[in-house]
Amino acid sequence: MHQSLAPVTAPIPVRASSTDDPAELLRFAIDAHRRCPAALATLVDIRGGAARALGAHVAVAADGRFCGYVSGGCVEAAVASEALLAMAQGRDRMVKFGDGSPFFDIVLPCGGGISVAIHVLKDVGALRHVLERLKRRQAAGLAYSPERQALEPVEPLPRTCWLERDFLTVYRPRTRVLISGQTIEAQAVVRLAEASGYDVIAVAPGGVRPVADIIDPFTAIVLLHHELDAEAAILETALASPGFYIGALGSTRTHRRRVERLRAMAFKRDDIARIKAPIGMFGPTRDATSLALSVLADIAAARLVAYA
């Protein structure tokens, strides 16, 4: 356990990165803890509107470096300052910002208020546990006890929430996008999905890779073929999988033919209804980039519905 700092001159908070990926924030906290005291701030209450969801983090090192967001960027430096004070005193603290806060000069653009729990890390075993589960593409949970000022791993609940006196944060693997097709549309989706930070896997029809083994509940399957025969094998695998999204290229007329084929193969109505076709969030597109934006927006929306 690190000794508490007795700051003669308090460090000035400096943003170390602009990431809001939970796994990267936990890695930052673990790395910081190796060198000096570190703290993990967590959004535990929202009053009115808010830019982030419950469970959002800011990780803070004792040298003033921090990363993460609990708002749209308007309170993070203040959160880091509070975390530095908590580390100096060696005690956790709960801080309010916006509505109901003592900080009258900090106003949230949404007009609401938030509460942030700041935990001075004593060890990082619980954080490592989360990262190990995410690496195996499994959901993970952390329980924070303000009374005991402790973090411990727990089985994840359906969503982040307070459970009696503990705050339980749920972590899920990042979205995997499995893209099948050798079209310009497929290339555009791969390019934009990679830029968006998704775990992208492109497969070719007739490939030897066992597609079923890489589809988990956090996977979206995107079929971008110009012929129904080319998509048939992967579509059948997708319908038997736990993937949260299945989308297929083609017009309404093409999809009627697809449905007829699947019914003839004895697929159930509910299974067939999982297919989003024509694929994408907005109407017909006339270029590959617009289609890719439409597909990724649809995937993002489906993920929010599946794991709100």
Side-chain angles (χ1 to χ4, degrees):
M1 177 177 174
H2 296 292
Q3 295 294 321
S4 296
L5 294 182
V8 176
T9 301
I12 298 174
V14 177
R15 178 170 287 284
S17 79
S18 59
T19 185
D20 62 357
D21 179 76
E24 291 188 30
L25 301 180
L26 297 185
R27 289 190 195 99
F28 177 92
I30 291 170
D31 290 341
H33 187 264
R34 290 196 189 105
R35 303 180 180 90
C36 59
L40 187 67
T42 306
L43 177 59
V44 298
D45 183 52
I46 297 172
R47 300 177 295 283
R52 301 284 161 171
L54 288 175
H57 291 310
V58 171
V60 186
D63 60 10
R65 293 176 300 119
F66 72 92
C67 60
Y69 294 87
V70 291
S71 75
C74 48
V75 305
E76 280 69 18
V79 170
S81 293
E82 291 292 320
L84 290 170
L85 290 173
M87 284 184 272
Q89 297 171 359
R91 294 195 304 273
D92 291 4
R93 56 175 54 193
M94 190 80 67
V95 188
K96 292 183 178 181
F97 296 95
D99 183 39
S101 167
F103 301 105
F104 297 110
D105 57 337
I106 301 178
V107 179
L108 301 184
C110 57
I114 61 175
S115 295
V116 179
I118 298 173
H119 172 58
V120 179
L121 292 168
K122 302 174 181 64
D123 64 71
V124 292
L127 306 190
R128 293 185 186 281
H129 169 83
V130 171
L131 292 180
E132 282 298 318
R133 287 189 62 102
L134 292 179
K135 185 178 180 180
R136 298 195 299 268
R137 293 194 60 81
Q138 298 172 348
L142 279 184
Y144 170 65
S145 168
E147 290 182 355
R148 294 185 290 109
Q149 299 192 18
L151 273 177
E152 61 182 11
V154 294
E155 283 300 310
L157 294 178
R159 56 180 46 84
T160 295
C161 64
W162 282 95
L163 185 62
E164 297 180 350
R165 296 184 179 182
D166 291 349
F167 185 78
L168 274 61
T169 304
V170 179
Y171 305 84
R172 297 184 180 91
R174 64 175 174 160
T175 300
R176 170 173 286 168
V177 182
L178 188 151
I179 303 161
S180 176
Q182 293 178 306
T183 59
I184 185 174
E185 293 89 355
Q187 294 170 16
V189 174
V190 167
R191 184 172 64 253
L192 290 182
E194 288 176 341
S196 300
Y198 291 138
D199 177 20
V200 180
I201 298 176
V203 297
V208 297
R209 189 165 191 178
V211 173
D213 294 343
I214 56 180
I215 301 176
D216 59 29
F218 309 102
T219 299
I221 302 100
V222 177
L223 307 176
L224 299 173
H225 300 273
H226 293 303
E227 296 179 0
L228 293 181
D229 289 340
E231 71 176 27
I234 293 182
L235 178 57
E236 291 174 34
T237 300
L239 290 173
S241 78
F244 74 90
Y245 177 92
I246 304 171
L249 187 67
S251 65
T252 301
R253 179 181 300 178
T254 298
H255 187 55
R256 283 200 294 266
R257 291 172 47 216
R258 179 184 290 119
V259 170
E260 290 171 1
R261 283 187 170 206
L262 293 171
R263 285 178 177 169
M265 298 169 65
F267 277 94
K268 297 179 181 178
R269 183 184 302 271
D270 289 346
D271 291 332
I272 297 173
R274 294 176 61 196
I275 306 169
K276 178 65 178 292
I279 195 171
M281 175 168 279
F282 41 87
T285 58
R286 294 293 182 264
D287 64 272
T289 300
S290 295
L291 177 70
L293 290 170
S294 180
V295 169
L296 293 177
D298 208 21
I299 289 172
R303 166 94 187 209
L304 286 174
V305 171
Y307 302 108

